Amino acid sequence: MIESIRVDALSKSFRISGSAQHRTLKDLIVNPLRRGASSTVHALADVSFGVEHGSMLGVIGRNGSGKTTLLRLLCGILKPDAGTIHIDGSIAAVLALGTGFHPDLTGREGARIELLTLGMTRREADARLPAIADFAEIGEFFEAPIRTYSTGMMMRLAFACAICVDPNVLLLDEVLAVGDEAFAKKCLDAVTDFRTRGKTVVLVTHSAEIVEHFCDVALWLDRGRVAGLGDPHNVVSAYHALSGASAAYSTS
Amino acid sequence: MDTRLSDRNAISVLWTFRWLVYELVLRDLRLRYRGSFAGFAWTLLNPLIFMTIYALVFSVYFRIGVPNYALYLLAGLIPWGWVSGAVLAGTTSIVDGRMYVGRTMFPTLVLPIVPVVSNALNFIFALPVLAVFALAMHAHLGLALVALPLVMLVQLLVTTGIVLLLATANVFFRDLQLLANYALTILFYLTPIFYTRVQVPTAFQALVIWNPFAALISAYQDILYANRFPSPADLAYAAAFGAVILALGVAAFTRSQDAFSQYI
């Protein structure tokens, strides 16, 4: 079977500067060659996995294990240092790092820009706006500036945009944790429907329950490496076993 | 279609996201006058009032030994406004777009392009107003006007290149956004805009000859003030400068765009 997502030997590291993130002109003149104290963080090292059409991959791992970096690489925001990514078809993402909505724009304007960001024409974008307003269920707030939104409302809008774009691959970062229960259920229903149409979902989450109940495959990342991959139940129990044991380990 | 942004070249990114550029430029133009009573009409009112002030000051109150000086001044000042407006907003454009850069699938290249295009539109909106003034001041506008699109194209190259270069560098050295302001002021005084080329002392003529902005602005002055075709040599020099600076700008942007999200 042809896979929807194929990732091979993916690696990404970041250089973290020591004291000051931004170099001033003075630093440049005083020390033209020194790049400042820096260390390298290997966010992802030699990560490989595949996801089949119509299935859902759940990514788990502690904070800083590389989950978000993986999503950013998958959607093409970051370039890998090594390794390859093949994705069959279009992508839409809801990333927890920020919804990318300008606070001064109304929900409608923000949603339109979001759709244009995915390469749509203005006409295609405008045709989808009613469906987005409908799905997000934020009522008259759709016409209000986004700065007046709660975090949950912003996520509703972001999720509604991503699902209404109807991409081939949907990347979700901790989306379900932000909304209320009713909306989380609505999202899960939409995701299920999405998958029955042969489309693929990658979900980063801290909820073992969601991974066990909804995902077909689980990927456990630990310090940028694959610590477990396969049946969600097995991976989640291994993760729980180790994270329970490592709580004491990490404080030493 | 490959949708992975990080692997695409500049032209293909801009073409794919032309509607995003259109929307953001529209927003830029609207936001400038949002909440004002006259609204979008300010795009025409602004140059009209600005030009009236200059015309009154320099043809009634303060006379300078350059024939039709107010028009000469406006013919250089209005295209300069495109450069300075685009450079000021463009330098901070990537840093100002921090909510998008590296956090969403937003194509970062669009950010510095938007102020270049919106300032180009402001310039274009000011042109008919300038034409009315030129006619009111009994200047001759004629056949040389057909060269105007070519000069604007050259200016688009130059401005886009400089803005891309500064916007990219400003992510790493924030001092640039302050220095750009001074650099623009110095460049403004080094370019024959409110004085003429012949008024520059012989010792400093080289500064005018090698200044690509002098070549560019004098092309506008030729067309809009003197009603003659701009010098092909000047225009070719400005275009060559534009091509080089644009290539540098695109290269700098492409090389460093992956690092943006770590510095913003």
Side-chain angles (χ1 to χ4, degrees), chain A residues 26-154:
Chain A
K26 189 187 130 206
D27 296 337
L28 193 69
I29 291 163
V30 175
N31 260 320
L33 293 177
R34 238 195 57 186
R35 308 201 72 142
S38 71
S39 59
T40 304
V41 174
H42 298 281
L44 285 178
D46 198 26
V47 171
S48 303
F49 64 89
V51 188
E52 285 175 1
H53 284 283
S55 61
M56 178 153 158
L57 172 76
V59 184
I60 50 172
R62 289 186 302 184
N63 291 331
S65 58
K67 306 186 296 290
T68 297
T69 302
L70 177 66
L71 283 197
R72 289 163 87 195
L73 284 160
L74 286 176
C75 62
I77 296 171
L78 293 176
K79 224 183 227 171
D81 295 336
T84 54
I85 300 171
H86 288 289
I87 291 183
D88 187 20
S90 57
I91 313 166
V94 185
L95 302 180
L97 280 166
T99 49
F101 293 124
H102 193 287
D104 286 343
L105 297 177
T106 66
R108 175 183 298 276
E109 292 167 329
R112 183 188 287 134
I113 286 186
E114 183 75 16
L115 298 183
L116 296 175
T117 299
L118 297 166
M120 284 190 185
T121 66
R122 203 162 193 266
R123 189 174 298 173
E124 286 168 336
D126 282 353
R128 279 179 167 82
L129 288 177
I132 289 173
D134 201 41
F135 191 95
E137 290 178 11
I138 52 173
E140 66 253 38
F141 274 96
F142 195 60
E143 311 297 342
I146 290 171
R147 69 183 118 83
T148 63
Y149 285 27
S150 69
T151 317
M153 288 163 75
M154 233 180 300

Side-chain angles (χ1 to χ4, degrees), chain B residues 146-217:
Chain B
V146 298
L148 197 59
L150 182 67
V151 181
M152 287 168 62
L153 188 68
V154 173
Q155 184 171 3
L156 185 67
L157 283 185
V158 174
T159 314
T160 309
I162 290 179
V163 166
L164 267 181
L165 210 54
L166 289 177
T168 301
N170 189 54
V171 174
F172 307 102
F173 314 112
R174 300 289 165 90
D175 310 64
L176 267 181
Q177 63 198 57
L178 301 162
L179 294 176
N181 212 342
Y182 300 118
L184 275 172
T185 308
I186 294 169
L187 205 55
F188 172 77
Y189 286 110
L190 284 180
T191 305
I193 292 172
F194 73 94
Y195 54 89
T196 62
R197 199 178 262 234
V198 291
Q199 288 171 318
V200 179
T202 327
F204 296 106
Q205 278 290 336
L207 279 178
V208 177
I209 289 168
W210 292 107
N211 177 356
F213 291 96
L216 195 62
I217 295 295

Side-chain angles (χ1 to χ4, degrees), chain A residues 14-15 21-25 28 72-80 85 89 91 93 95 97-105 109 112-113 116-122, chain B residues 1 3-7 16-20 22-24 26-27 30-31 34 99-107 171-175 179 254 257-258 261-264:
Chain A
F14 296 105
R15 208 182 51 233
Q21 271 256 314
H22 313 288
R23 301 176 69 208
T24 61
L25 205 66
L28 193 69
R72 289 163 87 195
L73 284 160
L74 286 176
C75 62
I77 296 171
L78 293 176
K79 224 183 227 171
I85 300 171
I91 313 166
L95 302 180
L97 280 166
T99 49
F101 293 124
H102 193 287
D104 286 343
L105 297 177
E109 292 167 329
R112 183 188 287 134
I113 286 186
L116 296 175
T117 299
L118 297 166
M120 284 190 185
T121 66
R122 203 162 193 266
Chain B
M1 186 187 77
T3 44
R4 299 177 53 72
L5 264 180
S6 52
D7 299 329
T16 309
F17 296 103
R18 59 196 182 281
W19 289 98
L20 181 62
Y22 170 86
E23 183 71 23
L24 292 177
L26 210 62
R27 196 188 90 196
R30 271 201 210 113
L31 276 183
R34 182 171 271 189
M99 61 190 331
Y100 299 120
V101 178
R103 286 165 178 77
T104 63
M105 289 168 72
F106 195 92
V171 174
F172 307 102
F173 314 112
R174 300 289 165 90
D175 310 64
L179 294 176
T254 314
Q257 63 170 333
D258 265 354
S261 58
Q262 290 177 65
Y263 287 85
I264 288 182

Side-chain angles (χ1 to χ4, degrees), chain B residues 9 11 14 20 24 38 93 106 118 122 130 132 143 170 195 209 242 246 259 261 263:
Chain B
N9 71 47
I11 303 283
L14 286 186
L20 181 62
L24 292 177
S93 59
F106 195 92
S118 64
N122 272 321
L130 183 65
V132 171
L143 200 60
N170 189 54
Y195 54 89
I209 289 168
L246 184 60
S261 58
Y263 287 85

Side-chain angles (χ1 to χ4, degrees), chain B residues 53-64:
Chain B
I53 294 170
Y54 274 86
L56 284 177
V57 168
F58 290 107
S59 52
V60 179
Y61 176 71
F62 189 64
R63 287 173 172 271
I64 282 180

Side-chain angles (χ1 to χ4, degrees), chain B residues 42-54 126 129 132-133:
Chain B
W42 273 111
T43 7
L44 283 179
L45 274 175
N46 195 37
L48 185 69
I49 293 168
F50 176 75
M51 288 187 222
T52 309
I53 294 170
Y54 274 86
V129 183
V132 171
F133 268 85

